[in-house]
Structures are given as C-alpha cells and as structure tokens.
Amino acid sequence: MCFEIHSKLLEDCLQLGQLQLCKVLLMNDSRFPWIILVPRIADLCDFHELPHENRQDLFNEIETVSRTLERLFDVDKFNVAALGNQVSQLHIHIIARSKSDCAWPGPVWSTGKTIPYSKEMQDKLVEQLRQSIEDLTY
Amino acid sequence: MCFEIHSKLLEDCLQLGQLQLCKVLLMNDSRFPWIILVPRIADLCDFHELPHENRQDLFNEIETVSRTLERLFDVDKFNVAALGNQVSQLHIHIIARSKSDCAWPGPVWSTGKTIPYSKEMQDKLVEQLRQSIEDLTY
C-alpha cells in the first residue's frame, strides 16, 4: 500500500511540509506548541517497527523539530511520544511544554478542549515554523 | 555528575536490570504492562539531548522491550513516550496497551489510581521479564 497520512491527522493538523523521512504537521491547538512527525512509510504502527535504516533520520528530525520549537517558544520540557491509541498509524508527537500551560504537569492528551489558532495566528506561525525548520534541516 | 536514577523512579518501579545503554525498570502498577528505560548518562533531560552515538542503542532497547512485552502479554498498541513533566531525568515509557485496559483509548498517565503488584505476582513477572529480555538482547 502507498503511504498516506491518516484522515484524522489531516483533520486535526495544519501541514508544514516534509523532511527526509517524515511529514511535518502542526496540531491546530493554540494551547500548546505541538508538532507531529509522520514517517512516510506505509503500514507502520508501532515505534519499534520503523526500519533500522530510518532510525537515525527519525532521531535527527525529532531534534530539528525540538530545536525549532525552542527558538520560537519558552520551553520547560519536551514531551516526545508515539501513542496511537486513536490513530494507529505511527506518528510522533513533539510538544513544547511550559510550566504555565493549562495541562502542566499532566499530559496534554485528554485535557480540556482544543482551541484552534485564529486564521492570522495560523498563517504567521506556519510561516515561522516552515522557515525555522528549513534553516535547521540537516 | 555521576549517573543516578531519580529517587521518584526508584520509588514507583521495580528494577529489572540493565542493557547496553539503559537501566530497565518495571512500573509497579498491575493495571498496565509498563517498562521504563533510563539511559545511563548523567544530566540528560530531553529526548533530543541523547548523544548521536547512543541513539541506535536506545532504539534497539525500545525494540527489545517491546518484543519482550509482546511475548508475555496481549498487546493492541505500544505507547512509547519521553514526557518528564514530573521527573525531568530522561526516561522512556514503553507501555503495552490493550483495548480492554482501564484507560483505553486515553493515555495511562493521570488515569485513576496505581494498583501495585502482589508480592507473588511481582516476583513471577520480574523473573519472566528478566529472562525474556536476556533472551532477546542483541
């Protein structure tokens, strides 16, 4: 089967572009700076199913995204997670957490209601993130 | 500073041993088969801070633990996560989720109350896990 991003991810996120291995999505929830990486390989579910030859790339891309978020936001801690209880396609959350965010110190999932970005904020942030990821891409 | 496992992790977990890179802990919560890997390097907090030369090892060890849990439990999905909102020392959760577990499809963190293993169950499971990890270790 060909690689396609799951429709639920497309529904919840804005598309930022792609890196060597992954599609890069921005979760459309203004409460948390939250990027999702989706390895562009069909039929992956669990983290350890990623082929050996792609593992270094995934790590590099998690690093690129983390450093991008660090440039643009005050980050106290990164949450990096492959859960997939709702969407089984392998995707990795990278969330810049702040001690003043509304879910701290709990996890962001299942916490309150999503607050989508305004159109203006969305355009600005997507542009900033695209530029910064491009600058940092190995 | 020398590497030491954070006291909160030692309090919440049982020690299973160590692999090439990580200490291996079993979360003492019988609701979920839940292993934690702690890279044996001092002063690491975020996932992307892991040195390049240790990244392949971490991936291998996540795979070893996942395959171990797969041997012993019915697993519908793995949750792999480095959160660290409560304990900032880098540690990676590997949780074998089942569609019939008490938190499904939500995350396990902040869900209800921990139910520690009985002494008998603890001894049996620790022995099984140690044996299985040893068999699978690369």
Side-chain angles (χ1 to χ4, degrees):
Chain A
M1 235 181 75
C2 289
F3 168 78
E4 270 184 28
I5 302 185
H6 191 285
S7 58
K8 176 82 172 96
L9 293 176
L10 291 176
E11 204 175 285
D12 294 345
C13 298
L14 306 161
Q15 296 196 54
L16 293 176
Q18 66 182 45
L19 294 169
Q20 188 72 20
L21 174 67
C22 296
K23 285 276 188 189
V24 188
L25 308 175
L26 172 68
M27 179 64 90
N28 190 6
D29 187 343
S30 61
R31 299 174 303 160
F32 313 103
W34 180 344
I35 284 183
I36 292 180
L37 291 174
V38 190
R40 293 183 288 120
I41 298 173
D43 302 326
L44 292 180
C45 284
D46 282 314
F47 195 76
H48 67 278
E49 291 173 9
L50 191 74
H52 280 258
E53 62 270 28
N54 302 112
R55 293 179 176 186
Q56 196 69 43
D57 275 345
L58 180 62
F59 237 118
N60 288 340
E61 295 180 13
I62 290 170
E63 182 164 6
T64 298
V65 166
S66 302
R67 300 219 181 275
T68 296
L69 291 171
E70 244 167 12
R71 276 184 172 194
L72 300 175
F73 299 92
D74 286 329
V75 185
D76 289 315
K77 190 73 189 70
F78 284 100
N79 293 170
V80 175
L83 305 183
N85 305 342
Q86 317 260 358
V87 171
S88 67
Q89 179 179 45
L90 179 61
H91 60 286
I92 297 96
H93 302 269
I94 302 157
I95 310 155
R97 302 298 307 275
S98 153
K99 288 180 182 170
S100 61
D101 73 38
C102 64
W104 186 269
V108 300
W109 305 276
S110 324
T111 296
K113 279 198 80 156
T114 299
I115 303 175
Y117 291 104
S118 66
K119 179 74 177 75
E120 192 188 0
M121 190 58 207
Q122 198 180 105
D123 291 346
K124 192 177 150 207
L125 185 56
V126 165
E127 183 51 37
Q128 278 181 322
L129 285 167
R130 280 190 182 141
Q131 190 56 56
S132 184
I133 288 173
E134 206 170 290
D135 291 351
L136 285 170
T137 300
Y138 52 97
Chain B
M1 234 180 75
C2 289
F3 167 78
E4 271 186 25
I5 302 185
H6 191 286
S7 58
K8 176 81 171 95
L9 294 176
L10 291 176
E11 204 175 286
D12 293 347
C13 298
L14 306 160
Q15 296 196 57
L16 293 175
Q18 69 182 45
L19 295 168
Q20 189 71 19
L21 175 65
C22 297
K23 284 277 187 187
V24 189
L25 308 175
L26 172 68
M27 178 65 89
N28 190 6
D29 186 344
S30 61
R31 299 173 303 161
F32 313 103
W34 181 344
I35 284 182
I36 292 180
L37 290 175
V38 189
R40 292 183 287 121
I41 298 174
D43 303 325
L44 291 180
C45 282
D46 281 314
F47 194 76
H48 67 278
E49 291 172 9
L50 192 73
H52 280 258
E53 63 269 27
N54 302 112
R55 293 178 176 187
Q56 197 68 43
D57 275 345
L58 180 61
F59 236 118
N60 288 341
E61 295 179 12
I62 290 171
E63 182 165 3
T64 298
V65 166
S66 302
R67 299 216 181 278
T68 296
L69 292 171
E70 244 167 13
R71 276 184 173 194
L72 300 176
F73 300 92
D74 285 330
V75 185
D76 290 314
K77 188 73 187 73
F78 283 101
N79 292 171
V80 175
L83 305 183
N85 305 342
Q86 317 259 359
V87 171
S88 66
Q89 179 178 47
L90 179 62
H91 59 287
I92 297 95
H93 302 268
I94 302 157
I95 309 156
R97 301 298 305 274
S98 154
K99 288 179 182 170
S100 62
D101 74 38
C102 64
W104 186 268
V108 298
W109 305 278
S110 323
T111 296
K113 280 198 82 156
T114 300
I115 303 175
Y117 291 104
S118 65
K119 179 73 178 74
E120 192 187 0
M121 191 58 206
Q122 198 179 106
D123 290 347
K124 191 176 151 206
L125 186 55
V126 165
E127 183 53 34
Q128 278 181 323
L129 285 167
R130 279 188 182 143
Q131 189 58 56
S132 185
I133 288 174
E134 205 170 292
D135 290 350
L136 285 168
T137 301
Y138 53 97

